[in-house]
Amino acid sequence: YLRRLVLQSFRSYPSRQFQFQPTTNLILGPNGSGKTNLLEAIGLLTTGVSFRSTPLSKLIYWNSSFATVQAFIGPSGQPDQLETQLIRIDSGLISRKFLLNQVAKTRRAYIGSLLLEFSTPMIS
């Protein structure tokens, strides 16, 4: 399971860490507080792309040259570390790097390292 998520210069988060439990986790907050940005970061880790139809440059915090989304998954003794890096290069294009336990991987080899399962609350 996703134990910890570390965001650096990602969307509205200059630097932030989140801890998760192996059971249900609720993401609550007022409008504009970054809930969707958090879900987008998790989605980026699972697919390598944003679920929003925005350019990669919009994922990088204002005036930053990079963004990092890092996750620690699995048991507490030896968690796997996943990382997606977005780097703004001189031409304004964005380069993506995918790392699994600090070893660079192709996007194809990286995808599937973290699987998502969403459930909708039952409202009666």
Side-chain angles (χ1 to χ4, degrees):
Y1 77 94
L2 178 59
R3 302 180 70 72
R4 185 165 55 116
L5 184 68
V6 180
L7 305 178
Q8 183 69 38
S9 298
F10 183 81
R11 284 274 192 187
S12 61
Y13 296 110
S15 181
R16 185 75 191 267
Q17 290 190 39
F18 299 90
Q19 302 282 8
F20 298 96
Q21 300 302 314
T23 57
T24 303
N25 292 272
L26 300 175
I27 300 170
L28 304 171
N31 289 342
S33 63
K35 300 178 300 292
T36 304
N37 293 346
L38 173 60
L39 294 175
E40 186 174 24
I42 296 168
L44 184 67
L45 285 169
T46 62
T47 64
V49 295
S50 168
F51 62 78
R52 294 174 171 168
S53 59
T54 56
L56 289 175
S57 61
K58 298 284 185 186
L59 302 179
I60 299 175
Y61 188 75
W62 181 256
N63 284 338
S64 293
S65 58
F66 73 95
T68 302
V69 178
Q70 188 178 56
F72 296 88
I73 61 171
S76 59
Q78 292 263 337
D80 284 328
Q81 179 181 338
L82 302 175
E83 186 171 336
T84 301
Q85 299 175 350
L86 303 173
I87 303 159
R88 191 183 318 270
I89 52 180
D90 292 336
S91 62
L93 297 174
I94 304 299
S95 170
R96 286 181 291 185
K97 289 187 179 180
F98 304 100
L99 299 129
L100 177 57
N101 295 324
Q102 300 180 334
V103 176
K105 300 288 182 182
T106 64
R107 181 173 172 230
R108 185 179 189 138
Y110 178 84
I111 291 175
S113 301
L114 176 63
L115 302 175
L116 284 183
E117 180 180 326
F118 287 100
S119 62
T120 18
M122 302 271 298
I123 301 173
S124 49

